[in-house]
Amino acid sequence: MPEQSPENHVIDFRAAEKLLEVRDARGAVKLLDSVIAVHPENTAARLLRARAFFLAAQLRPAELEFQVVLEREPDNAFAHFALGRTLERAGRDGEARRHFRLAAALDPKPDYLQAARFPDSD
């Protein structure tokens, strides 16, 4: 087994991104586990692992990972949106709406606004 170095961790992170692109969520999680074990503070790796958990329908691990990201970056609109999707998929619509609205308030992208379902202000 090759020695783990910072360069190997970057390679593993990039490979995990590629695996997620081809929808190999479990492969991505496996690579990211080793990166996060050595660099638990790496928010980008945690966000990517959360996305992989979500894709693999591992909702509780995805939720926990998105929460770690949001503890570190409370203004991360994507993490709020993705946590909202995770909660929605778990049937927790009220909690999901809160995160959708936070995402839309932080970054008024059409997807975020639609998910937030703000009442019409007519």
Side-chain angles (χ1 to χ4, degrees):
M1 185 168 178
E3 181 181 324
Q4 289 297 313
S5 68
E7 294 82 13
N8 292 105
H9 299 143
V10 171
I11 291 167
D12 286 348
F13 179 85
R14 296 295 178 215
E17 287 180 317
K18 296 297 182 192
L19 287 172
L20 207 53
E21 286 176 17
V22 298
R23 304 185 68 74
D24 181 356
R26 294 188 196 290
V29 167
K30 185 175 180 180
L31 286 174
L32 292 165
D33 284 346
S34 65
V35 173
I36 292 169
V38 177
H39 303 284
E41 76 290 348
N42 188 316
T43 304
R46 288 188 173 275
L47 186 58
L48 192 60
R49 186 166 70 171
R51 290 176 48 216
F53 281 138
F54 179 83
L55 183 63
Q58 295 180 22
L59 301 181
R60 185 65 179 149
E63 176 186 352
L64 294 172
E65 206 67 70
F66 284 127
Q67 288 173 343
V68 168
V69 170
L70 288 169
E71 286 172 12
R72 296 173 183 180
E73 297 179 3
D75 61 345
N76 187 320
F78 174 78
H80 278 290
F81 178 74
L83 177 55
R85 285 284 181 235
T86 303
L87 295 168
E88 180 181 62
R89 198 169 172 189
R92 296 160 56 193
D93 293 341
E95 293 173 78
R97 187 168 299 119
R98 175 180 175 271
H99 287 284
F100 288 146
R101 289 183 174 187
L102 285 166
L106 290 165
D107 185 359
K109 288 183 176 179
D111 288 351
Y112 298 177
L113 290 167
Q114 181 180 8
R117 297 185 294 266
F118 289 115
D120 289 333
S121 57
D122 294 332

